[in-house]
Amino acid sequence: MKNFTEQCKKYPVWGWAGMVLVAVFWPMNWFLPGTRSMYAFFPLWLGYILIVDGMVFLRSNTSQINRNVRGFVFLFCTSAPFWWLFEILNRRVQNWHYLGVENLNTIEYFLMATINFSVVIPAVFESSELASTFKWVKPIFINIRIQKSGRTAVLSLLTGIVMLTVLLIWPKYFFPFMWLSIYFIVEPVNFWLGTSGLYDFLEKKDWRPVLCLFVGVLVTGFFWECWNYYSYPKWIYTVPYVNFAKIFEMPAPGYLGYLPFSLELCALFQFINGFSRIKNTGIIPVFERVFTESGQEPVKLEQ
């Protein structure tokens, strides 16, 4: 009990503020009549982000807000344009649709959507940083090396271009490539620009950043789908061949799409951040600090 009290005292004020936001806006998002989720979505997700950032601070004595408030705000600014990219691709693929947006004019929809899209990157990166604070990460070793080289970058770029091309031509058959092609295109560009990215870890057979991103995006995805279920407006899915065994509105196989999506977010953010003057922000500096600067090498488990 004493330890619990001490942890509560250490938990930062912004984390408590996040709990208040979730407590207030979760019921509003689900149970109020009309288009309530238009106005509850952003504060609800801001609450989630603040809670998770507070948990990161509690576990590691550092967090995005604690390190760099400007960088924390920058995550929101970059998130909306990135998600609009996927909205544009979905115009061709038609994997999800929004119910209730017919009540909004074009300007209202654009403004509300942009505000709500701004939480995607902060939520995924905060959850991924939280995953990196747990001890289960340390012993993971995968004996696969992705060479950081010009040849790798060229092959990746060509693969991404082919994926994107067949996606746009035959979306019914190649819709999963929406969650792969962007990463294969953007990550080599980051390499040529000299911007750090996942290549720096994978060359050392260190897959822990990828696994942290996977865990972070799955946790975030669970709450996305959960909070969406009783919302209005809300999204629904019409995914060819796999539109079954739904967990909330998302077909169970669809959750696999979240995994490469986290890699795309990481690459896209690194690309934009490479042109900014805001340092020590995003998820790659977190992984560099936790897995590289700390000297915490992956441990190869004995068979």
Side-chain angles (χ1 to χ4, degrees):
M1 186 65 181
K2 181 180 179 181
N3 184 58
F4 176 76
T5 303
E6 291 176 351
Q7 294 295 306
C8 288
K9 291 180 179 179
K10 185 181 177 182
Y11 193 65
V13 63
W14 62 85
W16 292 111
M19 291 187 182
V20 172
L21 287 173
V22 170
V24 171
F25 288 98
W26 186 348
M28 290 178 61
N29 191 55
W30 270 10
F31 302 121
L32 289 181
T35 55
R36 70 274 182 185
S37 60
M38 280 199 313
Y39 307 103
F41 187 95
F42 179 82
L44 174 59
W45 272 100
L46 178 60
Y48 172 90
I49 292 162
L50 294 176
I51 289 172
V52 176
D53 190 272
M55 294 172 66
V56 172
F57 181 82
L58 185 66
R59 294 184 57 82
S60 61
N61 291 314
T62 183
S63 72
Q64 181 62 61
I65 293 177
N66 175 254
R67 290 189 301 269
N68 187 348
V69 174
R70 185 185 176 198
F72 176 72
V73 174
F74 188 59
L75 298 180
F76 290 83
C77 296
T78 56
S79 179
F82 292 162
W83 185 253
W84 274 115
L85 171 61
F86 293 101
E87 289 288 327
I88 292 170
L89 290 175
N90 189 56
R91 295 293 179 94
R92 176 61 175 159
V93 179
Q94 295 290 299
N95 277 176
W96 65 87
H97 306 271
Y98 295 102
L99 301 180
V101 297
E102 63 274 6
N103 299 315
L104 307 176
N105 62 44
T106 302
I107 295 177
E108 288 175 331
Y109 172 71
F110 176 78
L111 292 176
M112 293 304 302
T114 299
I115 292 171
N116 291 337
F117 294 163
S118 71
V119 303
V120 175
I121 282 183
V124 173
F125 284 6
E126 290 283 7
S127 300
S128 300
E129 182 171 358
L130 180 61
S132 74
T133 67
F134 287 89
K135 292 181 179 179
W136 65 266
V137 178
K138 182 177 180 180
I140 292 175
F141 177 84
I142 299 175
N143 193 24
I144 300 175
R145 178 174 179 254
I146 306 297
Q147 186 177 12
K148 182 181 178 182
S149 66
R151 182 173 181 270
T152 300
V154 169
L155 288 174
S156 176
L157 179 63
L158 292 176
T159 300
I161 291 173
V162 170
M163 285 182 169
L164 185 60
T165 301
V166 298
L167 166 70
L168 295 175
I169 297 174
W170 300 291
K172 182 178 179 180
Y173 303 104
F174 295 103
F175 62 89
F177 285 172
M178 177 156 47
W179 311 115
L180 288 164
S181 58
I182 303 301
Y183 175 74
F184 282 113
I185 291 171
V186 177
E187 188 75 350
V189 174
N190 288 338
F191 166 76
W192 286 316
L193 292 174
T195 303
S196 57
L198 293 174
Y199 278 177
D200 298 298
F201 298 93
L202 301 184
E203 186 179 43
K204 304 172 186 176
K205 303 181 183 179
D206 190 350
W207 289 78
R208 293 173 297 178
V210 172
L211 295 176
C212 287
L213 283 167
F214 284 177
V215 172
V217 79
L218 285 177
V219 171
T220 309
F222 172 84
F223 282 100
W224 265 324
E225 304 303 335
C226 173
W227 285 336
N228 171 66
Y229 194 62
Y230 292 111
S231 299
Y232 191 81
K234 63 182 294 185
W235 60 83
I236 59 171
Y237 296 96
T238 51
V239 186
Y241 312 116
V242 296
N243 206 35
F244 58 84
K246 290 187 177 182
I247 303 174
F248 306 116
E249 294 290 354
M250 170 70 88
Y255 284 88
L256 295 175
Y258 276 118
L259 304 183
F261 173 58
S262 67
L263 307 184
E264 291 181 316
L265 291 181
C266 182
L268 284 166
F269 181 82
Q270 287 300 108
F271 174 74
I272 295 298
N273 196 44
F275 295 97
S276 77
R277 297 181 180 180
I278 303 177
K279 306 302 179 183
N280 197 28
T281 190
I283 196 63
I284 291 297
V286 172
F287 295 147
E288 290 174 343
R289 186 184 71 253
V290 173
F291 299 133
T292 303
E293 294 175 7
S294 65
Q296 186 186 100
E297 297 296 330
V299 179
K300 186 175 183 179
L301 300 181
E302 296 295 331
Q303 300 295 325

